Amino acid sequence: MAVELVKEYESSIKENDHPYMNGPWAPVHKEYNITDMEVIGEIPADIDGVYLRNSENPVHQPLGRYHPFDADGMLHMMSFKDGKAEYRNRFIQTRGFRAEQEAGESLWAGWTAYPVKSKRIGECAQDGLKDASSTDVVVHAGKVMTTHFQCGEGYRLDPYTLDQLGIESWTPIEGISAHTKVDENTGEMMFFNYGKYPPYLHYGVVGADNKLKHYIPVEINRPSLPHDMAFSENYSILNDFPMAWIPEMIEQDIFMPRYEADKPSRFGILPRYGNPEDVKWFEAKPTYVLHWLNAYEEGDEIILDGYFQGNPMPEPLKDQPKRYAMMMALVDLNSLQARLHRWRFNLKTGETIEEDLDDEVLEFGMFNQKYAGKKYRYAYSAKPKKGMFLFEGLVKHDLETGEKQTCMFGEERYGSEAPFVPRIGSKSEDDGYLVSFITDMKENRSECVLIDAQNIEAGPVCRIILPHHISSGTHATWANGEDIRAAE
């Protein structure tokens, strides 16, 4: 194993018992380049590309109450080609990260830190919050783009070296939310943002040439809290759930959500390049959805799959310290009762039909991105650990037959959502692998695993061992090497 320590960052974090600053969530403060790693099994020679995972990784002692989604972004990359792999990790050099590095301390309080206030407002924060760019990651136009769930600037990096390429030039003044959507079939990227001022929601399209092609307001009646969007071949799907910031508090830059169970969920569907007057709204059962899987068109209907929450505002966890109990409930997917669900929107009649696809608690789904916006058969969901924002395994659904397979990571081993990696020259939708970073608490290290997508119950076909652990986090993506090179 060849390990190059690129840089070590000095931490000011004090010892504490916060569950999301210890164990699988303990932060890492070293940046590495690693090659010739120990491999258990054999790295497949029939894949070519990069696996990228964003993670929440705080450097400085938080101001006030800490929420893991406030933390600095650290990107982890494993590249594959010709049966070999290379790993790198880098902090995402946002303006907020650099300001706090210069100050040697946290300058912004997190979104649950009330009544503690930030030491610095404005400058490089979104509505008084630091834009950590730590939530999501995609590859578009041959470059990485990271984003933050509270809407901020898009940050670009090189997909192989993780060199910082700066702020995305087309970033609107209202920012970019996490969960931009890349259509591999056209090269376009759809995005949205939300905020506390009317019209409260915007939607846009960026071309394959990374130029902003379309940007419109989408009017809703209050500052809502959308987290994700979806698209089909011809339409984009936005949402307005009955989960919104409390108006009298958001004016004080206090981000406290309130769930309104007596109001319906609303879905705004518009053509990909549609105008505000083209948005058609549909109503459905009240819920909240963090993440969608896929959407596609079938006759007059748009079919949308995602993770319906049966309990969007759960009670605090009783077995946790009082100071953490509410926060832990709101990131516990078992408490939220997230399950795979399907909505059918009839564009001709305006009718909505919905159904559960499984009653098991699941979230963070992935699928073969060549089928994005199209009818698809296979979905790969993460299986959450009860009581913690951690994932213990993966579940594969055959949406045609209803059959499913499960792969568990093992005792005290935690992974993430697992992007689908197509084999070179793949012949079918599930002809490829699932890839994930796994943190092994017994060994106090992490590894990258590849799992045969056609037989996930067999477990990893290879395990690539890292000498250190990776802090757990949120989202990940796969980008084909051929697509990256074609965009250069």
Side-chain angles (χ1 to χ4, degrees):
M1 179 180 293
V3 181
E4 176 191 0
L5 175 60
V6 178
K7 186 171 182 179
E8 182 170 1
Y9 287 80
E10 185 176 347
S11 172
S12 63
I13 296 174
K14 301 173 184 176
E15 285 191 22
N16 59 71
D17 63 351
H18 197 296
Y20 288 96
M21 296 184 78
N22 291 282
W25 282 84
V28 179
H29 297 122
K30 296 178 181 180
E31 296 178 336
Y32 294 101
N33 295 344
I34 306 178
T35 56
D36 299 322
M37 292 162 281
E38 177 189 353
V39 178
I40 300 172
E42 186 174 347
I43 299 174
D46 55 0
I47 59 173
D48 171 15
V50 294
Y51 165 51
L52 296 144
R53 179 176 170 188
N54 209 341
S55 61
E56 285 83 5
N57 201 101
V59 176
H60 297 297
Q61 181 69 22
L63 295 179
R65 187 176 300 164
Y66 174 69
H67 190 287
F69 297 168
D70 299 330
D72 301 297
M74 175 176 275
L75 203 60
H76 302 266
M77 181 279 296
M78 189 73 78
S79 64
F80 296 89
K81 197 171 190 306
D82 300 327
K84 297 180 180 179
E86 180 177 337
Y87 167 86
R88 294 186 180 207
N89 67 313
R90 297 289 188 274
F91 278 105
I92 301 166
Q93 301 277 332
T94 66
R95 290 196 288 161
F97 177 85
R98 289 177 175 173
E100 291 184 335
Q101 280 297 298
E102 184 177 346
E105 62 176 349
S106 291
L107 300 175
W108 287 273
W111 70 288
T112 61
Y114 176 80
V116 175
K117 292 286 190 177
S118 298
K119 295 183 178 180
R120 193 177 297 185
I121 301 295
E123 186 183 16
C124 53
Q126 173 72 11
D127 284 334
L129 300 173
K130 182 174 66 174
D131 172 13
S133 206
S134 57
T135 309
D136 200 16
V137 55
V138 297
V139 175
H140 173 250
K143 298 294 185 289
V144 175
M145 189 176 79
T146 62
T147 45
H148 193 240
F149 80 103
Q150 286 279 45
C151 300
E153 295 165 319
Y155 282 85
R156 289 280 184 172
L157 298 92
D158 183 278
Y160 285 99
T161 66
L162 300 189
D163 289 346
Q164 316 278 329
L165 303 177
I167 297 168
E168 184 49 71
S169 60
W170 53 260
T171 301
I173 191 171
E174 296 88 358
I176 308 167
S177 177
H179 300 300
T180 60
K181 297 295 180 177
V182 177
D183 185 346
E184 285 191 5
N185 298 289
T186 67
E188 294 166 309
M189 179 168 66
M190 282 63 72
F191 72 95
F192 70 100
N193 59 49
Y194 61 96
K196 64 182 184 181
Y197 301 110
Y200 303 119
L201 184 64
H202 292 84
Y203 159 78
V205 184
V206 180
D209 57 0
N210 198 35
K211 292 183 179 179
L212 184 63
K213 306 292 186 182
H214 189 63
Y215 186 64
I216 63 166
V218 178
E219 187 171 352
I220 55 178
N221 63 9
R222 77 223 191 287
S224 184
L225 187 56
H227 187 77
D228 198 358
M229 66 167 290
F231 70 91
S232 66
E233 194 167 1
N234 296 293
Y235 295 90
S236 290
I237 306 165
L238 305 172
N239 58 76
D240 177 19
F241 289 114
M243 179 79 77
W245 305 124
I246 300 172
E248 55 270 27
M249 300 190 76
I250 198 172
E251 290 303 321
Q252 305 173 55
D253 287 328
I254 301 169
F255 295 84
M256 300 293 288
R258 177 168 59 201
Y259 180 60
E260 302 164 312
D262 58 336
K263 295 182 179 179
S265 300
R266 300 175 69 238
F267 296 83
I269 300 179
L270 74 161
R272 186 169 295 192
Y273 284 88
N275 293 310
E277 61 270 20
D278 298 321
V279 181
K280 187 169 186 177
W281 288 97
F282 293 78
E283 292 190 353
K285 290 190 295 188
T287 187
Y288 189 70
V289 175
L290 280 171
H291 303 118
W292 306 112
L293 254 171
N294 196 14
Y296 58 94
E297 299 157 30
E298 195 169 73
D300 294 329
E301 290 185 321
I302 292 179
I303 290 86
L304 172 66
D305 294 341
Y307 298 91
F308 182 104
Q309 292 183 3
N311 185 24
M313 191 60 73
E315 294 295 317
L317 293 184
K318 294 180 179 179
D319 59 347
Q320 297 295 331
K322 186 176 180 180
R323 61 189 179 279
Y324 304 139
M326 189 68 241
M327 178 273 296
M328 294 191 69
L330 290 173
V331 295
D332 173 25
L333 295 166
N334 284 276
S335 294
L336 297 171
Q337 298 173 20
R339 58 185 186 268
L340 188 56
H341 194 78
R342 174 167 286 177
W343 293 257
R344 306 178 74 99
F345 307 107
N346 192 304
L347 296 173
K348 186 169 287 187
T349 67
E351 182 182 18
T352 303
I353 298 173
E354 51 186 309
E355 62 176 325
D356 282 344
L357 298 180
D358 196 343
D359 59 4
E360 184 176 6
V361 173
L362 300 167
E363 242 283 7
F364 283 69
M366 304 296 268
F367 62 98
N368 185 335
Q369 288 298 305
K370 287 298 181 185
Y371 290 79
K374 300 179 179 182
K375 189 170 184 177
Y376 71 124
R377 181 172 178 176
Y378 301 108
Y380 311 93
S381 305
K383 185 176 176 62
K385 176 181 171 66
K386 190 173 183 179
M388 284 288 291
F389 189 81
L390 294 168
F391 297 106
E392 297 181 314
L394 300 171
V395 174
K396 175 185 179 179
H397 283 89
D398 184 329
L399 299 173
E400 287 188 8
T401 67
E403 296 176 350
K404 68 179 185 180
Q405 299 178 32
T406 299
C407 171
M408 299 301 290
F409 297 138
E411 188 177 359
E412 293 188 54
R413 287 168 56 86
Y414 307 109
S416 66
E417 63 182 358
F420 178 83
V421 181
R423 284 190 174 94
I424 297 170
S426 60
K427 303 297 184 184
S428 62
E429 183 183 336
D430 64 345
D431 187 9
Y433 304 88
L434 304 180
V435 60
S436 181
F437 283 120
I438 305 289
T439 294
D440 188 323
M441 293 309 299
K442 287 187 173 180
E443 299 290 341
N444 192 29
R445 70 184 186 195
S446 292
E447 59 192 61
C448 182
V449 300
L450 286 162
I451 298 167
D452 186 341
Q454 294 181 327
N455 183 19
I456 72 168
E457 291 177 340
V461 298
C462 80
R463 298 165 54 195
I464 306 168
I465 309 301
L466 297 175
H468 65 292
H469 82 276
I470 290 173
S471 176
S472 198
T474 48
H475 293 287
T477 193
W478 168 266
N480 295 311
E482 183 179 4
D483 296 338
I484 295 171
R485 293 187 290 273
E488 292 177 351

